[in-house]
Amino acid sequence: MVDLIGLAIPFAYLGILVGSLATFSSLYRKRKAAKSTALEPWFGPHVQRNIYLSLLHLEPQPGQEKATPVPDSVLKAALLQRATEDIRRILAIRVAKQPLNLLLQKGSVGDELWQRFLRAEKEMEAELRDVVEEANALATNWGQTIFQSANEMVQNAIVREKVAEIQEKGRADREWWDKERASIQSKFMQELDEEKPVETPKGAASGGVNSDEDAVLVEGGGPASGSAPGSKGGTKKKKAKK
Amino acid sequence: MDDTFTLLPLTIDPATKAISSLDSSLASNLTALNNLHRATVSQPNQIPPPPLPLNPKRSAQIQKMREQGNASLRSRGTPSTAQAQEAIKLYTYGIEMALGRPSWEPAQTVREEAGILYANRAQAYMAAQMWAEGAADAETSVELKRADNGKAWWRRGRCLCEMGRWDDAAEWVRQGLEVAGNEADLAALMKEIDRHLEKGER
């Protein structure tokens, strides 16, 4: 009897310990799970996916008994659109992964952001598998090429956007240049107009300068002739040269 | 979330098979979908063929446009304005064809073809003394085809000089020398710009 009571105490102790640990851990896990589902998704709603699935489950319009069947070709196009959006998201994930990892190691971003990111990555994997399956169901072996096509579509969209952007800038440039050229031309014409009347006085002024120079020359000749009086022919010759 | 989706209020036109919705926020997505459907419905199996191998027909047409344009520019000596305009027209057709490829065909091919055509059209614009257009086309060419495109770098630099935008030209050509390496023409243009800027600042 004494033994039993003596044994019961350590067992009760162990029981309480394990029980409290178990409740704590289950509560903690539940809270964590709730938190991760409550996390904001990395990406916004996947509209193309919603469109595709809505087309699969198209409801009859009011007044109609049966919904118009959606032709396969439309479903295929919708799936392709969905795949292009997936490619965009994969690219975004790839670009974000390394910097995010670095920031996490430095402690610049919280663990929550990283959890959101990992969840998005996992969801994308499932999404890709899903699209490949759907593609194979719609056309044999399409699953092998649908993402290649989708990738080119994304790249092509980028190319055309860039071209349109630069050409648009070019048009703005052209308008600027048209104005600039017009103003240069009008300035030039003005200068021409101004130059014409100015030219004669300018010529006269330069003539005046010339005559000044001549005067200096003559003067220069003057002292020389002064220093050598009697040599009148020299001065005369100079004048004649003029 | 994996197994759920938001049901959107979509309707399909029984005749044209066009998808529409009362929700106007979907409009751009649905337009894209309908355009893609129109493009793919004529394809075998109604799906886009794999990007490679490429159908050589369009490439051949584009090349023909380019060669005709080149011939118009290179006829004899310096091309006249009419010849330049003719070349511009031909290159423009080629560019439209290159950019008009179905969207699932390799983007790299589009970049290369359009890149060369834009560089050529820039040259034609320069021959017609349309500097602003030439500058824009050369910039587009560089954007499309970064590697081995020294000519396009030089053409935009030249056009900017012609428009009197010496500072822009200096910045552009300096960048070009970094990317395209020491191309002789580009280096010469840089020297010319530097000389002009020095003169201007004095």
Side-chain angles (χ1 to χ4, degrees):
Chain A
M1 281 309 253
V2 181
D3 275 344
L4 269 181
I5 294 167
L7 271 175
I9 292 167
F11 274 115
Y13 171 73
L14 274 176
I16 290 165
L17 190 72
V18 170
S20 62
L21 278 177
T23 33
F24 175 75
S25 111
S26 83
L27 271 179
Y28 178 75
R29 270 185 213 171
K30 256 184 215 160
R31 209 169 287 171
K32 209 176 161 187
K35 218 176 168 184
S36 84
T37 48
L39 281 180
E40 211 183 318
W42 189 265
F43 294 111
H46 196 322
V47 182
Q48 284 84 351
R49 179 174 180 270
N50 287 338
I51 289 176
Y52 175 75
L53 290 169
S54 301
L55 284 176
L56 276 183
H57 301 92
L58 202 63
E59 279 170 0
Q61 284 165 34
Q64 276 180 318
E65 274 188 18
K66 263 178 77 183
T68 322
V70 180
D72 266 6
S73 58
V74 173
L75 283 179
K76 284 169 181 169
L79 189 63
L80 199 55
Q81 285 288 85
R82 181 178 164 188
T84 58
E85 177 61 23
D86 288 343
I87 293 278
R88 282 200 192 94
R89 292 186 174 201
I90 291 170
L91 288 178
I93 282 182
R94 258 190 219 157
V95 168
K97 188 161 189 177
Q98 233 180 353
L100 197 62
N101 212 341
L102 215 70
L103 286 177
L104 187 75
Q105 280 170 7
K106 278 189 191 162
S108 307
V109 296
D111 191 48
E112 195 180 305
L113 196 73
W114 184 243
Q115 291 302 325
R116 279 173 56 197
F117 181 76
L118 286 183
R119 214 178 104 201
E121 220 180 9
K122 247 185 229 154
E123 274 175 10
M124 277 317 296
E125 275 170 29
E127 164 73 11
L128 294 193
R129 269 198 305 276
D130 202 27
V131 169
V132 168
E133 272 170 30
E134 298 278 332
N136 281 332
L138 281 171
T140 34
N141 287 335
W142 192 25
Q144 291 171 6
T145 58
I146 182 172
F147 279 113
Q148 288 178 26
S149 301
N151 185 37
E152 296 302 341
M153 285 172 68
V154 171
Q155 300 302 328
N156 268 313
I158 293 173
V159 167
R160 283 163 180 74
E161 223 169 85
K162 282 251 172 72
V163 168
E165 189 188 306
I166 298 176
Q167 289 288 314
E168 189 49 48
K169 211 175 69 187
R171 266 186 281 282
D173 257 10
R174 154 127 206 228
E175 270 165 34
W176 167 84
W177 171 237
D178 281 350
K179 269 183 215 145
E180 179 80 6
R181 191 170 46 186
S183 83
I184 289 174
Q185 255 169 5
S186 68
K187 248 187 236 163
F188 190 64
M189 293 307 278
Q190 255 177 14
E191 267 172 34
L192 272 184
D193 287 348
E194 275 167 18
E195 245 169 49
K196 268 180 196 160
V198 159
E199 215 161 0
T200 24
K202 212 180 177 183
S206 64
V209 169
N210 273 348
S211 62
D212 275 1
E213 270 171 23
D214 285 348
V216 171
L217 263 176
V218 171
E219 264 178 31
S225 60
S227 65
S231 60
K232 273 180 186 170
T235 22
K236 261 189 182 171
K237 255 183 196 169
K238 259 189 183 172
K239 272 183 183 169
K241 255 187 188 172
K242 258 201 292 182
Chain B
M1 185 228 153
D2 281 348
D3 302 321
T4 59
F5 72 97
T6 317
L7 190 67
L8 302 167
L10 301 178
T11 50
I12 182 164
D13 186 322
T16 60
K17 311 291 180 207
I19 310 293
S20 56
S21 173
L22 299 171
D23 188 347
S24 57
S25 64
L26 294 173
S28 66
N29 278 309
L30 291 178
T31 321
L33 171 62
N34 289 329
N35 288 342
L36 183 62
H37 177 235
R38 263 199 298 283
T40 50
V41 78
S42 56
Q43 294 295 318
N45 225 355
Q46 295 165 336
I47 59 168
L52 292 170
L54 196 65
N55 183 357
K57 215 165 134 191
R58 192 184 281 259
S59 301
Q61 273 177 327
I62 291 168
Q63 192 162 356
K64 206 173 122 199
M65 282 295 145
R66 197 175 74 222
E67 277 162 7
Q68 281 178 4
N70 290 353
S72 177
L73 266 191
R74 276 193 205 125
S75 48
R76 55 196 107 79
T78 42
S80 66
T81 313
Q83 280 167 334
Q85 292 292 355
E86 176 68 16
I88 290 168
K89 209 174 75 190
L90 289 164
Y91 290 140
T92 307
Y93 285 146
I95 287 168
E96 274 164 15
M97 267 186 241
L99 293 182
R101 274 184 187 283
S103 57
W104 54 81
E105 287 188 0
Q108 191 55 37
T109 316
V110 175
R111 273 179 182 274
E112 273 166 26
E113 285 171 348
I116 296 171
L117 280 164
Y118 271 115
N120 289 9
R121 198 171 75 172
Q123 190 187 12
Y125 274 133
M126 286 170 76
Q129 303 207 330
M130 296 163 80
W131 309 114
E133 286 87 345
D137 272 9
E139 192 184 359
T140 314
S141 172
V142 165
E143 176 61 45
L144 291 173
K145 192 170 172 284
R146 283 251 146 193
D148 200 25
N149 205 357
K151 272 187 197 163
W153 283 103
W154 181 84
R155 280 172 195 158
R156 180 169 167 83
R158 186 79 255 173
C159 286
L160 291 175
C161 291
E162 293 290 346
M163 290 192 284
R165 292 163 63 180
W166 295 94
D167 290 324
D168 291 346
E171 202 190 321
W172 174 260
V173 174
R174 204 166 294 133
Q175 214 182 328
L177 283 171
E178 272 170 30
V179 176
N182 260 344
E183 187 126 336
D185 286 347
L186 213 52
L189 184 61
M190 189 75 235
K191 265 185 208 145
E192 190 190 326
I193 294 167
D194 280 344
R195 236 179 292 137
H196 181 92
L197 284 177
E198 259 175 45
K199 239 196 303 181
E201 271 156 24
R202 258 181 218 157

